[in-house]
Amino acid sequence: RTKSITISNPGKSDLKILRLDTDCSCALLSPQKLIIPPNETISVDVSFDSLYKQGSQSKKIVMYTNDPLNETKNIYIKAYVD
């Protein structure tokens, strides 16, 4: 299943997505671009592959950026799989 989230850059310089780590290969964040100019917002697809999963699921994606005040941002995917 795939959903879209937004990532905004309210800063005064480019926001660079340096790296994305996940705690499971079943969770994937797919930004169309890795550099977000100041005062811009992008839409990003977040996917979760529920194959072989059951019950309540919570997965974490860590986004590393060049923002000195917010170098990492945790993005959580939560789902219930029947």
Side-chain angles (χ1 to χ4, degrees):
R1 183 146 197 194
T2 301
K3 294 280 188 177
S4 288
I5 63 168
T6 58
I7 299 175
S8 298
N9 178 9
K12 295 179 181 179
S13 59
D14 287 347
L15 177 65
K16 296 177 184 175
I17 300 172
L18 304 174
R19 190 172 89 220
L20 297 166
D21 288 340
T22 65
D23 62 356
C24 174
S25 62
C26 60
L28 182 63
L29 184 70
S30 305
Q32 295 296 320
K33 53 192 210 176
L34 299 177
I35 298 174
I36 306 167
N39 299 309
E40 284 198 20
T41 298
I42 64 168
S43 181
V44 177
D45 289 337
V46 179
S47 300
F48 174 66
D49 182 358
S50 62
L51 187 64
Y52 306 118
K53 306 277 191 245
Q54 277 192 320
S56 182
Q57 301 290 315
S58 179
K59 305 300 175 192
K60 180 171 77 169
I61 298 171
V62 182
M63 181 174 66
Y64 296 87
T65 72
N66 66 326
D67 182 346
L69 301 177
N70 221 353
E71 292 178 348
T72 61
K73 183 68 177 174
N74 295 328
I75 300 165
Y76 294 95
I77 298 172
K78 294 184 180 188
Y80 185 84
V81 182
D82 288 330

